[in-house]
Amino acid sequence: MHEPTAYEITTPHPWTQPPATANRPVILPAEIPPGVDWVTLPNGVRTLAYTHTAPPPQIPVTPAQPIPAWAKTTALLAPTVGGGIAAAGIGLSYAAPGLIAMSHALWSAAALVVAAVIAVPVLIRTARRTVGSSGTGTGGTTHITQNITATGLFGRAGGTINNR
């Protein structure tokens, strides 16, 4: 991957630095710029040199995806639906006394219908008994006898009715 180099990269240590002489300036490690490091050449001389570092790997950037239409529609409908529910709740709170009164009225109407369903047949039966006992005739119940005869599966039926 990388070619072998003819020099060795080392880090500066106080015990491996060459002795400072009056002719050579001393560079502190904090003064060394990035990308520069101490290297030892093949002949043993230590010097500062530019070093190549591998660039950091590039992370591929995916382009931004467009927002789907259904998501936009849903995002626009959410506050509308929420506002409608809130308005309905407020309307019901104002209408509650009227709804309670209407509920009582409906229960009263239902009770009236049930009473009518029960009372009307009783009144009719009582009225028939009164008319039957005070009118002409036997005052008893009427008996009807019906005789029906038919011949064959699809034959015409005939019969007689006797009132007594």
Side-chain angles (χ1 to χ4, degrees), residues 29-50:
E31 296 175 353
I32 300 174
V36 176
D37 206 355
W38 285 100
V39 294
T40 304
L41 299 176
N43 61 1
V45 175
R46 287 179 49 101
T47 184
L48 288 173
Y50 288 104

mmCIF file of all heavy atoms in Angstrom, residues 29-50:
data_model
loop_
_atom_site.group_PDB
_atom_site.id
_atom_site.type_symbol
_atom_site.label_atom_id
_atom_site.label_comp_id
_atom_site.label_asym_id
_atom_site.label_seq_id
_atom_site.Cartn_x
_atom_site.Cartn_y
_atom_site.Cartn_z
ATOM 1 N N PRO A 29 8.920 21.420 21.485
ATOM 2 C CA PRO A 29 7.902 20.595 20.813
ATOM 3 C C PRO A 29 6.604 21.355 20.547
ATOM 4 O O PRO A 29 5.918 21.089 19.569
ATOM 5 C CB PRO A 29 7.670 19.440 21.777
ATOM 6 C CG PRO A 29 8.909 19.358 22.587
ATOM 7 C CD PRO A 29 9.447 20.765 22.672
ATOM 8 N N ALA A 30 6.279 22.327 21.386
ATOM 9 C CA ALA A 30 5.052 23.083 21.173
ATOM 10 C C ALA A 30 5.162 24.003 19.961
ATOM 11 O O ALA A 30 4.153 24.412 19.401
ATOM 12 C CB ALA A 30 4.720 23.898 22.416
ATOM 13 N N GLU A 31 6.380 24.330 19.521
ATOM 14 C CA GLU A 31 6.586 25.221 18.391
ATOM 15 C C GLU A 31 6.566 24.498 17.050
ATOM 16 O O GLU A 31 6.548 25.127 16.002
ATOM 17 C CB GLU A 31 7.923 25.964 18.536
ATOM 18 C CG GLU A 31 7.971 26.877 19.738
ATOM 19 C CD GLU A 31 9.350 27.499 19.934
ATOM 20 O OE1 GLU A 31 10.289 27.111 19.212
ATOM 21 O OE2 GLU A 31 9.473 28.368 20.802
ATOM 22 N N ILE A 32 6.611 23.189 17.056
ATOM 23 C CA ILE A 32 6.633 22.418 15.803
ATOM 24 C C ILE A 32 5.234 22.444 15.204
ATOM 25 O O ILE A 32 4.259 22.082 15.852
ATOM 26 C CB ILE A 32 7.097 20.971 16.053
ATOM 27 C CG1 ILE A 32 8.516 20.977 16.637
ATOM 28 C CG2 ILE A 32 7.025 20.149 14.790
ATOM 29 C CD1 ILE A 32 9.008 19.609 17.042
ATOM 30 N N PRO A 33 5.109 22.886 13.948
ATOM 31 C CA PRO A 33 3.781 22.965 13.330
ATOM 32 C C PRO A 33 3.243 21.574 12.999
ATOM 33 O O PRO A 33 4.004 20.604 12.917
ATOM 34 C CB PRO A 33 4.025 23.776 12.050
ATOM 35 C CG PRO A 33 5.460 23.595 11.741
ATOM 36 C CD PRO A 33 6.162 23.384 13.060
ATOM 37 N N PRO A 34 1.946 21.457 12.805
ATOM 38 C CA PRO A 34 1.394 20.146 12.440
ATOM 39 C C PRO A 34 1.908 19.716 11.068
ATOM 40 O O PRO A 34 2.108 20.535 10.185
ATOM 41 C CB PRO A 34 -0.117 20.354 12.434
ATOM 42 C CG PRO A 34 -0.342 21.823 12.520
ATOM 43 C CD PRO A 34 0.929 22.470 12.950
ATOM 44 N N GLY A 35 2.099 18.428 10.923
ATOM 45 C CA GLY A 35 2.620 17.885 9.670
ATOM 46 C C GLY A 35 4.136 17.835 9.640
ATOM 47 O O GLY A 35 4.714 17.333 8.686
ATOM 48 N N VAL A 36 4.809 18.358 10.658
ATOM 49 C CA VAL A 36 6.280 18.327 10.749
ATOM 50 C C VAL A 36 6.630 17.492 11.963
ATOM 51 O O VAL A 36 6.008 17.611 13.016
ATOM 52 C CB VAL A 36 6.850 19.761 10.883
ATOM 53 C CG1 VAL A 36 8.361 19.716 11.086
ATOM 54 C CG2 VAL A 36 6.486 20.593 9.680
ATOM 55 N N ASP A 37 7.653 16.623 11.798
ATOM 56 C CA ASP A 37 8.046 15.750 12.907
ATOM 57 C C ASP A 37 9.551 15.487 12.829
ATOM 58 O O ASP A 37 10.202 15.749 11.826
ATOM 59 C CB ASP A 37 7.263 14.432 12.816
ATOM 60 C CG ASP A 37 7.115 13.767 14.170
ATOM 61 O OD1 ASP A 37 7.694 14.259 15.147
ATOM 62 O OD2 ASP A 37 6.391 12.756 14.234
ATOM 63 N N TRP A 38 10.089 15.005 13.914
ATOM 64 C CA TRP A 38 11.505 14.622 13.926
ATOM 65 C C TRP A 38 11.670 13.324 13.158
ATOM 66 O O TRP A 38 10.921 12.384 13.369
ATOM 67 C CB TRP A 38 12.006 14.395 15.358
ATOM 68 C CG TRP A 38 12.224 15.650 16.144
ATOM 69 C CD1 TRP A 38 11.399 16.182 17.054
ATOM 70 C CD2 TRP A 38 13.342 16.498 16.046
ATOM 71 N NE1 TRP A 38 11.910 17.335 17.559
ATOM 72 C CE2 TRP A 38 13.135 17.545 16.944
ATOM 73 C CE3 TRP A 38 14.530 16.511 15.297
ATOM 74 C CZ2 TRP A 38 14.038 18.582 17.117
ATOM 75 C CZ3 TRP A 38 15.424 17.525 15.487
ATOM 76 C CH2 TRP A 38 15.175 18.564 16.374
ATOM 77 N N VAL A 39 12.638 13.252 12.252
ATOM 78 C CA VAL A 39 12.929 12.026 11.496
ATOM 79 C C VAL A 39 14.415 11.715 11.617
ATOM 80 O O VAL A 39 15.248 12.610 11.787
ATOM 81 C CB VAL A 39 12.538 12.155 10.003
ATOM 82 C CG1 VAL A 39 11.047 12.284 9.844
ATOM 83 C CG2 VAL A 39 13.255 13.281 9.334
ATOM 84 N N THR A 40 14.725 10.438 11.545
ATOM 85 C CA THR A 40 16.127 9.992 11.552
ATOM 86 C C THR A 40 16.456 9.518 10.153
ATOM 87 O O THR A 40 15.817 8.606 9.624
ATOM 88 C CB THR A 40 16.323 8.847 12.560
ATOM 89 O OG1 THR A 40 15.887 9.294 13.841
ATOM 90 C CG2 THR A 40 17.781 8.429 12.627
ATOM 91 N N LEU A 41 17.448 10.139 9.538
ATOM 92 C CA LEU A 41 17.849 9.795 8.181
ATOM 93 C C LEU A 41 18.707 8.534 8.210
ATOM 94 O O LEU A 41 19.199 8.119 9.263
ATOM 95 C CB LEU A 41 18.610 10.962 7.562
ATOM 96 C CG LEU A 41 17.802 12.271 7.446
ATOM 97 C CD1 LEU A 41 18.688 13.395 6.901
ATOM 98 C CD2 LEU A 41 16.598 12.084 6.560
ATOM 99 N N PRO A 42 18.933 7.895 7.037
ATOM 100 C CA PRO A 42 19.724 6.658 7.014
ATOM 101 C C PRO A 42 21.151 6.845 7.555
ATOM 102 O O PRO A 42 21.745 5.902 8.068
ATOM 103 C CB PRO A 42 19.757 6.265 5.532
ATOM 104 C CG PRO A 42 18.558 6.915 4.934
ATOM 105 C CD PRO A 42 18.328 8.150 5.733
ATOM 106 N N ASN A 43 21.713 8.034 7.467
ATOM 107 C CA ASN A 43 23.076 8.225 7.984
ATOM 108 C C ASN A 43 23.081 8.523 9.473
ATOM 109 O O ASN A 43 24.134 8.822 10.036
ATOM 110 C CB ASN A 43 23.783 9.336 7.199
ATOM 111 C CG ASN A 43 23.078 10.690 7.323
ATOM 112 O OD1 ASN A 43 22.075 10.812 8.016
ATOM 113 N ND2 ASN A 43 23.624 11.681 6.635
ATOM 114 N N GLY A 44 21.892 8.512 10.160
ATOM 115 C CA GLY A 44 21.821 8.687 11.601
ATOM 116 C C GLY A 44 21.548 10.113 12.037
ATOM 117 O O GLY A 44 21.425 10.376 13.233
ATOM 118 N N VAL A 45 21.465 11.043 11.158
ATOM 119 C CA VAL A 45 21.221 12.431 11.510
ATOM 120 C C VAL A 45 19.728 12.610 11.754
ATOM 121 O O VAL A 45 18.897 12.159 10.979
ATOM 122 C CB VAL A 45 21.698 13.362 10.365
ATOM 123 C CG1 VAL A 45 21.342 14.814 10.668
ATOM 124 C CG2 VAL A 45 23.165 13.190 10.122
ATOM 125 N N ARG A 46 19.393 13.306 12.853
ATOM 126 C CA ARG A 46 17.987 13.593 13.177
ATOM 127 C C ARG A 46 17.691 15.014 12.736
ATOM 128 O O ARG A 46 18.454 15.934 13.033
ATOM 129 C CB ARG A 46 17.736 13.457 14.671
ATOM 130 C CG ARG A 46 17.737 12.011 15.133
ATOM 131 C CD ARG A 46 17.502 11.918 16.621
ATOM 132 N NE ARG A 46 16.367 12.700 17.070
ATOM 133 C CZ ARG A 46 15.158 12.203 17.352
ATOM 134 N NH1 ARG A 46 14.960 10.921 17.264
ATOM 135 N NH2 ARG A 46 14.175 12.983 17.720
ATOM 136 N N THR A 47 16.571 15.173 12.059
ATOM 137 C CA THR A 47 16.185 16.490 11.561
ATOM 138 C C THR A 47 14.669 16.596 11.522
ATOM 139 O O THR A 47 13.959 15.600 11.638
ATOM 140 C CB THR A 47 16.782 16.739 10.160
ATOM 141 O OG1 THR A 47 16.453 18.073 9.776
ATOM 142 C CG2 THR A 47 16.250 15.770 9.147
ATOM 143 N N LEU A 48 14.205 17.809 11.349
ATOM 144 C CA LEU A 48 12.765 18.026 11.190
ATOM 145 C C LEU A 48 12.408 17.871 9.717
ATOM 146 O O LEU A 48 13.140 18.325 8.842
ATOM 147 C CB LEU A 48 12.375 19.431 11.650
ATOM 148 C CG LEU A 48 12.393 19.687 13.152
ATOM 149 C CD1 LEU A 48 12.160 21.161 13.440
ATOM 150 C CD2 LEU A 48 11.363 18.849 13.844
ATOM 151 N N ALA A 49 11.291 17.230 9.456
ATOM 152 C CA ALA A 49 10.865 17.046 8.071
ATOM 153 C C ALA A 49 9.350 16.976 8.027
ATOM 154 O O ALA A 49 8.688 16.681 9.023
ATOM 155 C CB ALA A 49 11.480 15.771 7.496
ATOM 156 N N TYR A 50 8.832 17.286 6.843
ATOM 157 C CA TYR A 50 7.382 17.147 6.658
ATOM 158 C C TYR A 50 7.044 15.668 6.564
ATOM 159 O O TYR A 50 7.727 14.904 5.879
ATOM 160 C CB TYR A 50 6.924 17.850 5.374
ATOM 161 C CG TYR A 50 6.966 19.358 5.476
ATOM 162 C CD1 TYR A 50 7.975 20.081 4.865
ATOM 163 C CD2 TYR A 50 5.991 20.040 6.190
ATOM 164 C CE1 TYR A 50 8.015 21.451 4.959
ATOM 165 C CE2 TYR A 50 6.025 21.422 6.294
ATOM 166 C CZ TYR A 50 7.046 22.117 5.686
ATOM 167 O OH TYR A 50 7.078 23.474 5.780
#
